[in-house]
Amino acid sequence: MDSKREKDQDADCEKITAVLLKSRTGEFDLESILFLKLRGLGVHDLGCIGECISLERLDLSGNNITNLTPLASLRLLAVLNLSANRISNLEPLCSCESLQHLNVAGNIISSVESLHCLVSLRKLENIRLKDNTYNYTNPVCRNTSYRTVVLEMFPSIKVLDGERVVGRGSDLYQLCKDIDDTIKAASYKNGQLIEHPDCKPWVEDSYWDIKRSNNAIIEEAYKQFNDVLHECRLLNNRATHVISQTERSMSLKKQPKQYAI
């Protein structure tokens, strides 16, 4: 009976309904919903989600969505996660005039032209079409000029695929990336890693050691930092212990009961 009920609930999740939205948020009025997470529910039909006109943050990652038309009415939507779906057309998002962060990694967007509809979104500053952490990408990312074309298309963008391209830290990031690419290029010859047995460290082992200062302010800051670090370690140990106890308890519950006769 329980398994049948669970299957029915899963079937209901294939389409977003008012009942689903209210149960997930606790809101009686759909227009009152500001934040919504519907990750990994098997959703393929966005249903009545367009009625959540006050929605500001929406996570629909890990579903089977192909049609974004119901999102066109979400004028206040600022953060949208559509990663790991089956989306090829972003046209309905051109009406989301407040959109700032868009994640569509792990879909089937095949060309840069598919992104033209987003050019009118003046507040858009963060776009993600691929995510190396989860191995999400799009066919368009295979194009060698993809990054250059996207940056030209969106001159106001600050972050592309998780990499800061303008603003604070972008120059340092680019410098580190260039150094990394140069090192990789110099480390391989004919596809083989070149060994350098005579390589020596650039600095002495003690170079990175934190040197104590006589400045009272720095000393106090150093002490406070160590105190916080110590507390974090204690909390981590407690959390590990609680998780371990919980897992042990759950494993015991799953074991079949034995009766002595």
Side-chain angles (χ1 to χ4, degrees), residues 96-122:
C96 302
E97 54 194 31
S98 299
L99 196 60
Q100 299 176 25
H101 297 251
L102 174 63
N103 186 348
V104 287
N107 281 281
I108 50 176
I109 299 169
S110 58
S111 67
V112 177
E113 286 70 25
S114 300
L115 305 175
H116 273 295
C117 58
L118 305 177
V119 173
S120 60
L121 301 178
R122 300 303 177 188

Side-chain angles (χ1 to χ4, degrees), residues 16 44-53 58 60 65-75 77 80 82 86-96:
I16 295 178
H44 65 78
D45 187 342
L46 294 177
C48 64
I49 199 169
E51 296 178 28
C52 305
I53 57 175
L58 175 59
L60 289 166
I65 300 166
T66 57
N67 184 6
L68 301 179
T69 301
L71 301 182
S73 60
L74 306 181
R75 307 279 181 173
L77 190 62
L80 176 59
L82 291 167
R86 295 187 291 124
I87 299 164
S88 59
N89 182 12
L90 301 174
E91 194 72 36
L93 300 183
C94 66
S95 301
C96 302

Side-chain angles (χ1 to χ4, degrees), residues 3-243:
S3 60
K4 183 179 185 302
R5 188 182 298 113
E6 290 176 1
K7 289 181 180 179
D8 291 341
Q9 289 175 349
D10 291 340
D12 290 340
C13 289
E14 292 180 2
K15 179 177 180 179
I16 295 178
T17 63
V19 174
L20 173 64
L21 295 176
K22 291 176 182 179
S23 65
R24 283 270 167 172
T25 62
E27 296 285 352
F28 180 76
D29 187 356
L30 297 186
E31 295 183 5
S32 301
I33 300 175
L34 301 178
F35 312 107
L36 186 58
K37 180 184 289 187
L38 299 173
R39 180 187 301 170
L41 298 180
V43 173
H44 65 78
D45 187 342
L46 294 177
C48 64
I49 199 169
E51 296 178 28
C52 305
I53 57 175
S54 299
L55 204 57
E56 297 177 4
R57 302 175 70 95
L58 175 59
D59 185 352
L60 289 166
S61 59
N63 286 292
N64 298 309
I65 300 166
T66 57
N67 184 6
L68 301 179
T69 301
L71 301 182
S73 60
L74 306 181
R75 307 279 181 173
L76 301 180
L77 190 62
V79 179
L80 176 59
N81 186 350
L82 291 167
S83 62
N85 278 282
R86 295 187 291 124
I87 299 164
S88 59
N89 182 12
L90 301 174
E91 194 72 36
L93 300 183
C94 66
S95 301
C96 302
E97 54 194 31
S98 299
L99 196 60
Q100 299 176 25
H101 297 251
L102 174 63
N103 186 348
V104 287
N107 281 281
I108 50 176
I109 299 169
S110 58
S111 67
V112 177
E113 286 70 25
S114 300
L115 305 175
H116 273 295
C117 58
L118 305 177
V119 173
S120 60
L121 301 178
R122 300 303 177 188
K123 295 183 180 181
L124 189 60
E125 58 182 30
N126 188 327
I127 302 176
R128 185 183 282 277
L129 287 154
K130 64 178 180 179
D131 189 336
N132 294 330
T133 304
Y134 299 101
N135 200 27
Y136 291 162
T137 186
N138 279 278
V140 65
C141 301
R142 299 172 191 162
N143 190 325
T144 54
S145 60
Y146 145 77
R147 183 179 174 84
T148 303
V149 174
V150 172
L151 291 177
E152 290 177 353
M153 188 183 300
F154 300 94
S156 300
I157 197 175
K158 295 180 180 179
V159 181
L160 176 61
D161 297 332
E163 301 176 3
R164 183 169 286 277
V165 293
V166 296
R168 185 177 179 182
S170 58
D171 293 339
L172 176 60
Y173 179 88
Q174 188 59 45
L175 175 62
C176 293
K177 187 174 185 300
D178 291 343
I179 292 174
D180 190 49
D181 292 341
T182 302
I183 292 174
K184 286 180 179 178
S187 300
Y188 288 86
K189 185 176 181 180
N190 298 325
Q192 298 294 322
L193 181 65
I194 302 173
E195 295 185 3
H196 300 281
D198 299 328
C199 289
K200 297 180 180 179
W202 292 357
V203 296
E204 298 177 0
D205 293 340
S206 60
Y207 181 83
W208 302 108
D209 293 344
I210 299 176
K211 296 177 176 59
R212 304 299 295 269
S213 170
N214 294 326
N215 189 306
I217 297 177
I218 296 179
E219 284 288 332
E220 180 60 25
Y222 182 82
K223 180 179 179 300
Q224 291 181 12
F225 173 77
N226 278 287
D227 290 342
V228 172
L229 187 61
H230 179 66
E231 290 180 7
C232 289
R233 285 170 177 161
L234 290 177
L235 287 172
N236 180 63
N237 291 337
R238 291 175 188 168
T240 303
H241 178 66
V242 171
I243 291 172

